[in-house]
Amino acid sequence: MWWLYALLSALFAALTAVLAKIGIKGVDSNLATAVRTTVILVLAWGIVYFRGSLSEVHTLTRTNWLFLGLSGLATGLSWVFYFRALQLGKVSQVAPVDKLSMALSIVLAVVFLGEKLTWQTGLGAGLIITGTIVLIWG
């Protein structure tokens, strides 16, 4: 079932790029990021509340807080740079470069999480990198 959620994530990520490109026109990219973040904040806490998970906040450990906080910081910086790139470039150029994060995630997972690099995963990461190069400079 994970693949269904992953496909939905890809669909909404694709919509994000197109909708953001339209919405960012004539707007400071940092302001646009702040508006987007506010919407996500309300959505995420709304889901937590309506699913009844709010009472579990106290179960988070210091490690959870630290790494979720660092992940949030990385996400925020990613969005700031992404919106600026969208403001300056075409979606068809910015989105593929942004998706290099998939190949980088594979490398980081192998190095820091000890995940095994299979030939299929290595080939897939290589194809992502190659495809990005073709889309940008082809």
Side-chain angles (χ1 to χ4, degrees):
M1 192 69 175
W2 65 266
W3 57 268
L4 179 60
Y5 291 111
L7 285 173
L8 287 170
S9 174
L11 170 66
F12 285 108
L15 283 171
T16 296
V18 173
L19 296 171
K21 181 66 176 180
I22 296 167
I24 203 168
K25 193 171 192 164
V27 176
D28 176 73
S29 61
N30 294 317
L31 175 60
T33 302
V35 169
R36 176 186 184 191
T37 303
T38 302
V39 171
I40 294 167
L41 180 72
V42 170
L43 175 67
W45 281 109
I47 291 169
V48 167
Y49 176 78
F50 286 111
R51 295 208 44 151
S53 302
L54 196 55
S55 62
E56 296 176 28
V57 169
H58 75 281
T59 65
L60 296 174
T61 67
R62 286 184 188 192
T63 301
N64 295 139
W65 281 106
L66 173 64
F67 283 96
L68 290 173
L70 289 172
S71 174
L73 182 63
T75 299
L77 289 171
S78 171
W79 291 353
V80 165
F81 294 127
Y82 181 73
F83 266 55
R84 184 67 179 144
L86 273 180
Q87 198 169 47
L88 299 172
K90 297 177 183 176
V91 170
S92 60
Q93 293 172 318
V94 173
V97 174
D98 179 63
K99 296 312 174 215
L100 273 177
S101 63
M102 293 185 296
L104 293 173
S105 293
I106 291 168
V107 171
L108 293 174
V110 169
V111 172
F112 293 108
L113 301 177
E115 293 186 8
K116 291 208 177 252
L117 181 63
T118 64
W119 71 267
Q120 296 98 329
T121 304
L123 177 62
L127 289 171
I128 290 167
I129 294 166
T130 303
T132 302
I133 291 168
V134 167
L135 285 170
I136 295 170
W137 292 294

